Amino acid sequence: MSTHGSNHTGTLLVVAKAPLAGRVKTRLTPHFTPQEAAGLARAALQDTLAAVLATPARRRVLYLDGAPGPWLPDGIEVVPQCAGGLDARLAAAFALHDGPALLIGMDTPQVTPELLAQGLDFTGTNAWFGPAVDGGFWALGLAEPDPALLLGVPMSAAHTGEVQRRRLTASGRAVRDLPALRDVDTPDDAALVAAAAPETRFAALHAELCAAVR
């Protein structure tokens, strides 16, 4: 299987939900109100898109469930998500194009342009896998996207990452790992991620909300 060197910049895919109260980050409640949880989701998405914009790439695509809002910066293409389970939607994201691609979510505001650039460098490898602390994955990079690699993978389970990585290796791909990152799902996750990335919008809003009188 062919590989692509670091001089070839591919596509960055961000899979996200529009940050609307009651639809995103519901596990942050009742510690935060639905509106506060949506604000944290919006900040995380803005941090993620800022890192994407700072990373050399041929295309930057937001694969969105919902409508874009004023939080969307210039330079990001928006493609509506298809229907179906998360595995089908992620597979469809990779089907958008035929070149090297790195797919990430909106739950890791601590992600950096350096990490994203690493995941787009397919020198000597066919795939990148970014494990999440909760057993899932925060990033998946393919030199030659194949949507079938994601179909049928059980999502949002403690063994999601294990199953997905095994799919990659079973396909004959040479897989390299990105550093493990923590998704923001629970209030504890939010506190740990904010502490680890204090310069982010997410951390600033988290500090503001925690300082507010409840």
Side-chain angles (χ1 to χ4, degrees):
M1 187 173 294
S2 64
T3 57
H4 298 260
S6 59
N7 62 342
H8 186 111
T9 52
T11 296
L12 283 169
L13 295 164
V14 180
V15 178
K17 284 184 179 180
L20 300 177
R23 290 199 68 242
V24 292
K25 297 296 164 213
T26 54
R27 290 171 63 191
L28 293 180
T29 59
H31 186 87
F32 297 100
T33 69
Q35 292 76 21
E36 289 170 341
L40 288 168
R42 181 174 62 251
L45 181 53
Q46 288 177 299
D47 287 328
T48 301
L49 294 177
V52 165
L53 284 171
T55 306
R58 181 168 56 90
R59 293 177 65 194
R60 300 172 181 88
V61 178
L62 176 62
Y63 190 53
L64 185 64
D65 176 2
W71 44 264
L72 180 69
D74 291 338
I76 303 287
E77 301 175 48
V78 178
V79 175
Q81 285 189 28
C82 67
L86 182 56
D87 62 324
R89 286 180 281 133
L90 297 185
F94 275 111
L96 292 171
H97 53 84
D98 57 4
L102 178 69
L103 178 145
I104 63 171
M106 61 180 284
D107 300 329
T108 50
Q110 70 273 46
V111 73
T112 63
E114 291 76 21
L115 275 178
L116 297 179
Q118 183 181 355
L120 276 178
D121 181 0
F122 292 98
T123 306
T125 191
N126 307 116
W128 284 98
F129 183 77
V133 173
D134 64 2
F137 61 93
W138 68 269
L140 181 61
L142 297 172
E144 296 175 357
D146 179 359
L149 287 171
L150 292 109
L151 292 174
V153 172
M155 296 290 168
S156 303
H159 62 297
T160 295
E162 177 188 350
V163 174
Q164 184 62 74
R165 197 184 189 288
R166 195 162 58 235
R167 280 279 192 95
L168 298 175
T169 55
S171 73
R173 286 166 168 79
V175 184
R176 294 179 66 186
D177 291 308
L178 292 163
L181 293 184
R182 180 180 294 275
D183 285 342
V184 174
D185 290 319
T186 67
D188 285 345
D189 293 331
L192 290 167
V193 169
E199 303 303 316
T200 58
R201 292 177 181 84
F202 181 86
L205 179 58
H206 185 269
E208 180 184 323
L209 294 176
C210 290
V213 177
R214 296 200 172 283

